[in-house]
Amino acid sequence: MKKWILMAGSAALAVSQISLAFADNIPASLIKKAQQEGEVVSVGMPDSWANWKETWHDLKTKYGINHRDTDMSSAQEIATFAAQKNNATADIGDIGFGFAKVAKAKGILQPYKPTTWNDIPDWAKDPDGYWAMGYTGTIAFIVNKNLVKHIPHSWHDLLKGKYRVTIGDVGSAAQANNAVLAAAIANGGSEKNIEPALKFFAKLAKQGRLATNDPSIANLEKGEVAVGIMWDFNALNYRDQINRNRFAVLIPSDGSVMSGYVSIINKYAPHPWAAKLTREYIFSDAGQINLARGYARPIRTDVKLPADVKDKLLPNSEYKNAQPIKDFKVWQQNAKRLPQLWQSQVLIYQQ
């Protein structure tokens, strides 16, 4: 875990010089303290999600910081921080925007503002530095062309098919919750009125077409997902990892929702300086480009993306009917009610 610290004489100096060479505007004192800890432990930040893999690789090669992750939903991340407290195992997490204020209210976060703080829009960060959005995502469809003859381009199209539709763990996972909101918006609803979405998915359940599995890369590769509803960055990433020609990825033409994920640092983090260095890197130019390589749209619009990275993303025309969350407070309240509403108004019809 900390073997690099034990390197003697000139070798240790070389590592230090290499790290500082990559530091950009990151404070040298922060780098030094993080290197003394030698490790960062994350939750909900697996290699396959939004290209975290390259960020973990960079932290290792540039600063000598080792990394471990346990994949979790947003709700599970918050519960883990709250339950472990002084016996914490995790340092940093990545949770859906809708969970950000919940996490802060529980008193389980510690604040840290990276040096690029002023480049992050005000709406996408906590004024005290307890959380900040690193990237945005828009709810998309991923379609297995081997299983679906007529590709659905809208929510309306989904109801006309014979294939099963996979949404994931509604009530727990931010991705699945936002899929519900996207369906609501496309069918005349809003953050305040998600009834159209519940009715929509109830119709799928009554048809026996609502799948209960998760739209994970493993399930997609095995052919167990005909149509998955997920963030665009995940859908594009999974498509290219498995077989670009096997899947179609699109934003539903009749409406979708744009949101994002925020960085949180555990108040009880066993490696707090490494966690802060990680946040610094996430919001640096290099970290933002890493996220874009994972098909996520960086929150910092001042970062210039390389041409090959731009080519990974969907064209802007796909997003013409996607809208950001307009009433965050109301959506947060409805998101809390989703587990019960999903059970009583959708899963009750599951066949």
Side-chain angles (χ1 to χ4, degrees):
M1 181 169 68
K2 299 181 181 177
K3 289 180 180 178
W4 67 272
I5 296 177
L6 302 178
M7 298 168 70
S10 60
L13 179 60
V15 170
S16 176
Q17 289 174 337
I18 290 171
S19 299
L20 290 175
F22 284 103
D24 296 323
N25 295 321
I26 299 175
S29 59
L30 172 60
I31 295 172
K32 183 177 180 180
K33 289 175 181 176
Q35 289 176 330
Q36 289 172 348
E37 293 174 345
E39 180 182 37
V40 65
V41 180
S42 65
V43 286
M45 302 174 76
D47 287 357
S48 62
W49 182 284
N51 192 36
W52 286 124
K53 181 179 181 178
E54 283 199 57
T55 289
W56 303 132
H57 176 266
D58 289 350
L59 287 169
K60 174 64 176 176
T61 57
K62 296 180 180 182
Y63 307 111
I65 304 298
N66 292 313
H67 168 256
R68 290 183 289 119
D69 180 77
T70 301
D71 194 13
M72 297 182 183
S73 68
S74 298
Q76 289 170 330
E77 291 180 49
I78 295 171
T80 297
F81 282 14
Q84 293 183 345
K85 292 189 175 179
N86 290 322
N87 296 315
T89 58
D91 301 304
I92 192 168
D94 185 54
I95 61 174
F97 188 29
F99 291 85
K101 292 186 178 181
V102 174
K104 182 182 178 181
K106 286 183 176 292
I108 55 173
L109 307 182
Q110 61 174 289
Y112 181 73
K113 296 181 179 181
T115 52
T116 51
W117 188 252
N118 291 337
D119 298 326
I120 305 169
D122 288 343
W123 66 268
K125 62 189 178 185
D126 175 69
D128 299 316
Y130 282 94
W131 54 264
M133 184 181 294
Y135 55 99
T136 63
T138 300
I139 291 297
F141 297 164
I142 182 168
V143 184
N144 186 330
K145 294 186 286 187
N146 292 342
L147 301 176
V148 178
K149 184 177 180 180
H150 300 290
I151 296 175
H153 290 273
S154 66
W155 297 94
H156 178 71
D157 287 348
L158 282 185
L159 290 177
K160 298 187 293 184
K162 295 182 179 180
Y163 43 80
R164 289 169 68 82
V165 178
T166 299
I167 186 173
D169 190 3
V170 174
S172 177
Q175 176 173 262
N177 289 356
N178 279 277
V180 172
L181 179 56
I185 290 170
N187 287 279
S190 64
E191 295 90 342
K192 185 177 181 179
N193 176 22
I194 60 172
E195 285 300 316
L198 296 173
K199 290 179 180 178
F200 175 88
F201 286 108
K203 288 180 182 177
L204 287 178
K206 290 174 183 177
Q207 294 174 6
R209 297 179 51 226
L210 183 63
T212 57
N213 59 337
D214 188 70
S216 64
I217 187 170
N219 287 336
L220 283 160
E221 188 166 17
K222 288 185 289 186
E224 295 179 358
V225 176
V227 175
I229 306 174
M230 62 174 69
W231 294 120
D232 53 354
F233 57 84
N234 278 333
L236 291 165
N237 186 12
Y238 295 171
R239 176 200 67 182
D240 286 359
Q241 282 195 58
I242 302 169
N243 183 339
R244 189 181 183 93
N245 296 321
R246 184 174 156 193
F247 297 94
V249 176
L250 55 98
I251 307 299
S253 61
D254 45 358
S256 190
V257 69
M258 182 186 302
S259 187
Y261 280 73
V262 304
S263 165
I264 56 171
I265 298 176
N266 193 347
K267 178 180 180 179
Y268 309 95
H271 312 103
W273 298 106
K276 292 172 183 176
L277 175 60
T278 300
R279 180 174 286 183
E280 279 282 1
Y281 198 77
I282 289 169
F283 289 95
S284 71
D285 286 9
Q288 292 281 283
I289 290 171
N290 278 351
L291 289 167
R293 287 192 188 281
Y295 311 94
R297 291 181 178 257
I299 195 63
R300 287 182 51 213
T301 57
D302 61 310
V303 176
K304 186 176 180 180
L305 299 178
D308 67 310
V309 176
K310 281 186 178 179
D311 290 342
K312 285 175 171 282
L313 306 178
L314 290 174
N316 289 334
S317 58
E318 282 284 323
Y319 296 86
K320 60 183 178 182
N321 289 323
Q323 63 182 52
I325 296 175
K326 297 176 180 177
D327 195 331
F328 178 80
K329 187 174 181 179
V330 168
W331 168 235
Q332 189 177 42
Q333 293 171 346
N334 266 331
K336 289 179 182 177
R337 298 171 55 228
L338 258 181
Q340 184 271 326
L341 292 173
W342 190 253
Q343 183 66 43
S344 63
Q345 297 190 38
V346 178
L347 294 186
I348 191 172
Y349 299 111
Q350 186 72 351
Q351 297 181 21

